[in-house]
Amino acid sequence: MAARRNMLRAATMALLLAGTAPARAEDGYRLWLRADVPAGPIPRVTLRGDGATLRLAAAELSHALPAAIGGVTLALASDPQVTALRLPTATLGDEGYLVRRVRLGQRDTLLITGNGERGLLYGSFALLRHLATGGSAATVALASAPRVKLRVLNHWDNLDGSVERGYAGQSLWDWWTLPDFKDPRYTDYARANASIGINGTVLNNVNAKADSLTPRYIAKAAALADVFRPWGIKVYLSARFSAPIELGGLKTADPRDPAVAAWWKAKADEIYRAIPDFGGFLVKANSEGQPGPRDYGASHADGANMLAAAVRPHGGIVMWRAFVYADTDPEDRAKQAYSEFKPLDGKFADNVLVQVKNGAIDFQPREPFHPLFGAMPKTPLLIEFQITKEYLGFATHLAYLGPLFTETLDARTGRGAETVADVVDGIAEQHALSGMAGVANIGRDRDWSGSTFNQANWYAFGRLAWDPTLDAAALAREWARQTFGTDPRVVEPVVGMMMASREAVVDYTGALGLAHVMATGHHYGPGPWVSDLKRPEWNPVYYHRADKQGIGFDRTRSGSDAVAQYAPDVAKRLADPAATPERELLWFHHVAWDRRMSSGKTLWDELVAHYDRGVAAVGTMRATWERLRPLVDAERWGKTATYLAVQERESRWWRDASLAYWMSVNGRALPAGATPPEHDLAWYKAQQFPYAPGHPE
Ligand code: BDP
């Protein structure tokens, strides 16, 4: 009782110090959409025309706009009164918006216009964002159109409610009570996505069960599609390539077999009867045990094109993943996707996008950009990021991924000034399709993403999918203002924490280009010593190749020659350890522990310094957050503070375990002044986490 009273008192104190009591519980449910219904008169929102999406836009505005904004009008660019204004709406496409103060008819009004209803919805959210981030109501003038067409979340949600690599509770989709019960949360999910421009969602895990294509599950997906539709969000399904065998009783799933193609065509027709605007299929084929066209000697293009033909009459698309590597292939895993897909450039149907992970291995805390970007100019490449933090401390660690996303998007492919973002938006190649996918970090947790700061990763993904040239720090600031209010005493330190956070994770888990050094299966915590797994490329020792003399994977000519997959300029730079950025050094080179680094330290000393820097950075985040206690609501402050304490403890664990292992390999002492690991290596190796989330056994 006394403890409870003390907590209450602390919470009340925090509110008093903050000066304002939050109008509602700050449990994170409202995400970045926290504008309360303003007191006083409601601004006049005039809706010219009608439509489900327009009505949603009008409702958003009347809920949250301050009266001071004056009258607001929502009208399509085709409205005669708007046409008469001759506004520059031609370049807005279907989804862009323009927000301007104009004289419409006989009245001064703030006009939100665009060529389609979705544009007006996005424009409404953009206006609310502008105001919530401190923008002026008087001088507002906004215009934007998405640079990327398909802005898609990939849910790795299983039909039993578990989420592969999900750290925010069970799946949001209650498959069991669908299609009858449409949980209001589905609407809130769609609204949050619409507010940042996400326009598609793949409902089920890429490791797909054929059952999701049965009539029962199609009806469930259709119910979700009905909820999402007015918010501008299309539904897609992951398709199991062998479904014609499992559901259709065929003997084969060979894409060249007419009976197989006919089965998929009939299946697509059936789906479109239930979901007329169904987006299409996402496919993981011939990867990590999934069936695919290679099982029959057919190519990935054969498989993708067969499915593309099935959805084509309905305007559907296929997102075909390039994340393939095979246990039968002795080639460096980092090279396999390129080797398989590059020769297929130009062979895909025009409603296929090849979905390529940001890096060539697997969503590591840092990866050089995937060499397929820039190498398949005839094919739209849809970039895939992981928003859920499988390799960056799950939901507990604070790691803002904006800098990870932009590091890849801003990377130069080596073809003129082209960046990965340029490849993704497909504008130069005049691709009809372009896309960005993010593996969702959303679950049934009250705060959706497992922590307040994880929401920023969902947010930044959506905003970057809209415009991949946006700046990570600017997005952090935008998010922080909407999430915590515009007080710079909160916003600036929060942005500082966010911007340093991902690098901290890189530092304490393994810097300088190390990758895939985590524990097996659940991927939580360190495991650089693991060497006994069945497939060579599942073992961390395969990636770091540490021995007495040195560490790192030689991907130059003397090694796997993966560098040759990059454009000549980039390949040349990466072939030379002296020209390779130090942050990627061990990804491309096996170098001596004594190698001199630019700091003047040896590689070994430098690596130790990175581990220490990572742990220290978490300490700094904790101290910053501690100072924010009086300025942030008690609930969100408290959970974040607790998680930061966990992160600090676990960053030490990562550092100590890794150093204990490296020392066992290189036989070196720690540099003077460095703290020895708390336990011996055997202790770290003995740690087990049988019920870690996101990895159902
Ligand atoms: C890996 C995950 C695995 C996914 C796979 C994928 O560990 O659970 O199935 O990516 O993207 O990183 O298919």
Side-chain angles (χ1 to χ4, degrees):
M1 255 329 259
R4 216 179 111 77
R5 253 201 319 275
N6 279 341
M7 265 170 57
L8 278 175
R9 197 171 306 138
T12 321
M13 272 302 286
L15 290 178
L16 286 176
L17 284 168
T20 49
R24 292 191 230 174
E26 290 287 13
D27 54 12
Y29 187 83
R30 292 189 294 162
L31 297 159
W32 48 87
L33 297 166
R34 294 169 53 263
D36 282 317
V37 182
I42 295 172
R44 194 154 43 94
V45 178
T46 310
L47 182 55
R48 291 179 59 84
D50 193 27
T53 303
L54 286 184
R55 283 198 296 278
L56 290 177
E60 286 299 326
L61 295 170
S62 15
H63 287 155
L65 272 186
I69 198 102
V72 176
T73 305
L74 283 156
L76 287 171
S78 55
D79 181 299
Q81 287 198 0
V82 179
T83 317
L85 296 173
R86 298 181 182 284
L87 296 168
T89 51
T91 51
L92 295 178
D94 291 347
E95 296 181 303
Y97 58 81
L98 194 125
V99 181
R100 281 241 186 127
R101 292 211 172 273
V102 297
R103 190 152 179 87
L104 198 71
Q106 305 305 315
R107 281 187 296 116
D108 288 329
T109 189
L110 183 60
L111 172 69
I112 303 176
T113 190
N115 298 316
E117 283 191 49
R118 278 176 300 161
L120 273 60
L121 180 64
Y122 295 140
S124 302
F125 278 119
L127 173 61
L128 293 170
R129 177 163 64 236
H130 170 81
L131 297 172
T133 52
S136 131
T139 59
V140 57
L142 309 168
S144 183
R147 294 170 73 101
V148 175
K149 295 213 171 72
L150 307 170
R151 308 178 296 278
V152 188
L153 287 179
N154 287 187
H155 286 267
W156 287 358
D157 294 21
N158 296 317
L159 301 182
D160 66 1
S162 62
V163 180
E164 182 153 341
R165 313 309 177 181
Y167 314 107
Q170 290 284 100
S171 169
L172 210 52
W173 327 132
D174 186 353
W175 291 111
W176 193 249
T177 58
L178 280 165
D180 302 286
F181 180 56
K182 295 177 183 164
D183 191 325
R185 214 165 162 170
Y186 304 151
T187 305
D188 293 343
Y189 161 86
R191 172 174 175 254
N193 279 324
S195 78
I196 49 176
I198 287 171
N199 66 1
T201 183
V202 184
L203 299 176
N204 60 321
N205 193 352
V206 285
N207 296 321
K209 293 267 192 265
D211 308 69
S212 59
L213 300 173
T214 56
R216 234 152 60 83
Y217 279 90
I218 291 171
K220 293 169 192 285
L224 289 174
D226 289 342
V227 176
F228 301 162
R229 187 169 297 112
W231 297 98
I233 293 165
K234 278 191 185 183
V235 154
Y236 300 77
L237 290 173
S238 293
R240 183 164 166 89
F241 199 75
S242 53
I245 301 175
E246 287 147 36
L247 301 181
L250 301 189
K251 293 239 149 35
T252 177
D254 187 335
R256 296 160 305 187
D257 186 317
V260 171
W263 187 87
W264 279 110
K265 193 177 170 334
K267 185 50 74 183
D269 293 347
E270 179 190 345
I271 296 175
Y272 277 95
R273 276 195 296 278
I275 313 173
D277 57 351
F278 177 63
F281 294 124
L282 169 64
V283 186
K284 171 175 178 178
N286 295 116
S287 171
E288 300 184 331
Q290 294 301 311
R294 305 294 280 140
D295 300 343
Y296 308 98
S299 75
H300 284 278
D302 294 330
N305 294 347
M306 183 270 298
L307 285 176
V311 294
R312 171 189 303 281
H314 309 282
I317 58 133
V318 170
M319 300 172 283
W320 190 272
R321 294 176 96 221
F323 176 68
V324 299
Y325 62 101
D327 48 346
T328 45
D329 191 342
E331 196 178 40
D332 174 3
R333 175 174 164 191
K335 292 180 71 178
Q336 293 187 28
Y338 179 103
S339 304
E340 186 90 33
F341 279 82
K342 160 88 181 152
L344 299 176
D345 191 25
K347 301 218 159 65
F348 289 97
D350 61 6
N351 58 335
V352 174
L353 298 102
V354 171
Q355 179 161 320
V356 183
K357 286 189 182 182
N358 58 298
I361 302 279
D362 199 355
F363 297 141
Q364 298 304 292
R366 166 161 286 128
E367 292 199 28
F369 74 91
H370 201 300
L372 276 174
F373 293 110
M376 294 184 69
K378 296 186 192 128
T379 311
L381 298 187
L382 186 157
I383 194 166
E384 176 178 340
F385 289 110
Q386 196 177 45
I387 309 172
T388 190
K389 302 206 308 297
E390 175 179 358
Y391 302 98
L392 290 100
F394 294 5
T396 344
H397 292 202
L398 197 163
Y400 169 55
L401 301 181
L404 186 158
F405 302 154
T406 55
E407 187 173 299
T408 304
L409 292 166
D410 296 345
R412 301 246 173 178
T413 65
R415 287 162 178 83
E418 179 188 75
T419 61
V420 171
D422 295 331
V423 174
V424 171
D425 72 26
I427 293 168
E429 296 81 6
Q430 299 189 311
H431 288 315
L433 293 172
S434 58
M436 190 141 131
V439 180
N441 65 352
I442 301 161
R444 238 182 272 172
D445 274 7
R446 184 70 191 156
D447 63 14
W448 302 87
S449 300
S451 84
T452 300
F453 278 89
N454 286 328
Q455 298 173 355
N457 295 330
W458 176 7
Y459 183 88
F461 167 78
R463 299 282 290 121
L464 283 165
W466 180 277
D467 182 353
T469 66
L470 292 175
D471 174 67
L475 288 174
R477 189 163 289 111
E478 202 181 279
W479 172 82
R481 286 183 172 147
Q482 292 169 87
T483 302
F484 296 115
T486 53
D487 183 345
R489 293 173 305 161
V490 178
V491 171
E492 291 315 312
V494 161
V495 171
M497 287 169 65
M498 290 168 77
M499 289 308 290
S501 59
R502 179 274 192 138
E503 204 59 41
V505 178
V506 170
D507 280 338
Y508 64 70
T509 59
L512 301 174
L514 287 174
H516 213 291
V517 283
M518 69 288 165
T520 304
H522 51 70
H523 296 164
Y524 200 57
W529 47 80
V530 175
S531 63
D532 58 352
L533 304 177
K534 201 165 87 228
R535 289 167 54 158
E537 78 286 355
W538 281 354
N539 291 294
V541 296
Y542 168 95
Y543 295 93
H544 63 66
R545 306 199 167 202
D547 55 25
K548 189 134 185 70
Q549 283 71 42
I551 181 170
F553 197 127
D554 182 1
R555 293 196 161 101
T556 68
R557 273 254 280 279
S558 50
S560 78
D561 205 20
V563 297
Q565 294 184 333
Y566 288 97
D569 278 0
V570 175
K572 197 165 151 232
R573 188 159 41 83
L574 296 176
D576 175 5
T580 303
E582 282 188 355
R583 65 185 191 187
E584 294 174 352
L585 185 67
L586 305 179
W587 183 283
F588 291 111
H589 304 280
H590 186 81
V591 300
W593 293 106
D594 283 325
R595 179 186 191 272
R596 273 299 140 203
M597 304 296 282
S598 58
S599 62
K601 291 194 179 84
T602 63
L603 170 74
W604 169 235
D605 288 5
E606 181 76 17
L607 193 60
V608 176
H610 275 282
Y611 283 113
D612 283 330
R613 198 179 303 163
V615 175
V618 183
T620 305
M621 285 204 284
R622 275 189 83 184
T624 306
W625 192 248
E626 189 57 48
R627 284 194 296 276
L628 291 177
R629 186 200 284 253
L631 300 171
V632 175
D633 55 277
E635 197 167 347
R636 290 184 302 170
W637 187 87
K639 184 172 177 185
T640 305
T642 304
Y643 275 16
L644 284 169
V646 173
Q647 186 175 6
E648 192 173 28
R649 186 176 74 221
E650 294 185 347
S651 67
R652 272 183 218 290
W653 164 43
W654 262 100
R655 172 208 183 264
D656 288 356
S658 308
L659 290 179
Y661 172 66
W662 303 132
M663 288 193 286
S664 80
V665 175
N666 66 14
R668 285 167 191 254
L670 285 173
T675 316
E678 196 180 340
H679 302 281
D680 63 13
L681 181 57
W683 187 91
Y684 294 109
K685 286 186 173 179
Q687 300 308 303
Q688 303 261 322
F689 302 93
Y691 305 109
H695 182 245
E697 309 279 345

